[in-house]
Amino acid sequence: AQSVTQLDSHVSVSEGTPVLLRCNYSSSYSPSLFWYVQHPNKGLQLLLKYTSAATLVKGINGFEAEFKKSETSFHLTKPSAHMSDAAEYFCVVRYDKVIFGPGTSLSVIP
Amino acid sequence: GAGVSQSPRYKVAKRGQDVALRCDPISGHVSLFWYQQALGQGPEFLTYFQNEAQLDKSGLPSDRFFAERPEGSVSTLKIQRTQQEDSAVYLCASSSRLAEYNEQFFGPGTRLTVL
């Protein structure tokens, strides 16, 4: 069955430290991959997407993600967390359907 | 111009009532999606339109849920005889092409509370 796993339901980092949000997918072939962010009371916003052109994808607000086929992973990273990064993050895979992961809540401590 | 809009933003219904949720996609967007997001969970796919054609409704949880997009633009999600388990945020998204890599633009959602 096609699925997407976000290994951490909640991640807490200090401001200025690196962020790592993990995502793994299950598939016998490479799907389309996306990361979305959802701030409280706001709509979902696309951070970045993997389109098979390059394994390292750069997104908005300093985020990037690396597609690793051998590990079926698409982890989201940022070198230095900012207070405004506190939000819910969703890893999304698209096969014939769009499947959202359960989400990771990111807290940033001043 | 504007992004995806949804109305109402909040809806409270008594159990057994029918509700209708509206989505205005970005002008010219061919594809339209509906999702259901329960509290503390990720959105779950409900149904998908390409223009006026409903190509996938496999995510609709029961025959009480019905969606339409008669002119290929505005869409309505209708829930008949609402139940408490229908309480969730209903998200609409639109996309400019069918291409699999294309970004979906999401509306702010309609928060439905069934008492």
Side-chain angles (χ1 to χ4, degrees):
Chain A
Q2 299 164 345
S3 66
V4 56
T5 303
Q6 292 183 246
L7 298 169
D8 305 298
S9 60
H10 185 258
V11 170
S12 184
V13 301
S14 296
E15 190 175 18
T17 64
V19 176
L20 170 63
L21 305 182
R22 295 181 291 172
C23 172
N24 288 86
Y25 64 93
S26 65
S27 178
S28 58
Y29 60 94
S30 298
S32 303
L33 295 158
F34 308 80
W35 276 98
Y36 279 84
V37 61
Q38 187 175 39
H39 287 93
N41 299 316
K42 292 189 177 181
L44 286 156
Q45 181 184 19
L46 180 69
L47 280 177
L48 49 80
K49 60 183 177 183
Y50 168 70
T51 61
S52 76
T55 56
L56 183 62
V57 182
K58 295 188 183 297
I60 63 172
N61 301 333
F63 284 94
E64 60 182 39
E66 185 173 9
F67 172 69
K68 292 187 177 180
K69 185 175 181 178
S70 60
E71 299 177 7
T72 60
S73 69
F74 191 56
H75 300 334
L76 182 70
T77 60
K78 182 173 181 177
S80 177
H82 190 272
M83 294 297 294
S84 62
D85 295 329
E88 190 82 16
Y89 291 80
F90 293 97
C91 181
V92 181
V93 298
R94 186 169 181 177
Y95 306 95
D96 52 345
K97 297 183 187 302
V98 174
I99 303 174
F100 277 74
T104 297
S105 176
L106 176 65
S107 298
V108 181
I109 303 168
Chain B
V4 178
S5 61
Q6 294 186 246
S7 61
R9 291 293 312 278
Y10 303 91
K11 177 68 179 178
V12 178
K14 292 183 179 179
R15 189 175 58 181
Q17 282 185 331
D18 298 348
V19 298
L21 312 179
R22 177 187 170 103
C23 173
D24 284 83
I26 293 172
S27 178
H29 275 195
V30 170
S31 302
L32 185 146
F33 304 79
W34 282 100
Y35 296 86
Q36 181 190 60
Q37 185 175 20
L39 188 64
Q41 298 182 20
E44 292 194 1
F45 170 82
L46 292 177
T47 187
Y48 159 62
F49 290 86
Q50 183 182 350
N51 296 307
E52 70 277 4
Q54 189 175 18
L55 299 186
D56 188 344
K57 55 181 181 180
S58 61
L60 296 176
S62 77
D63 58 7
R64 297 186 295 104
F65 287 70
F66 172 76
E68 60 183 8
R69 194 187 186 198
E71 298 179 356
S73 55
V74 172
S75 178
T76 303
L77 177 66
K78 298 179 180 178
I79 308 173
Q80 297 176 327
R81 305 181 302 280
T82 52
Q83 304 293 317
Q84 285 188 323
E85 61 263 29
D86 300 334
S87 295
V89 175
Y90 290 85
L91 298 169
C92 176
S94 70
S95 177
S96 62
R97 294 193 306 272
L98 180 60
E100 63 181 307
Y101 300 130
N102 218 48
E103 174 185 357
Q104 293 185 26
F105 294 84
F106 283 82
T110 295
R111 182 178 297 277
L112 172 65
T113 303
V114 181
L115 303 177

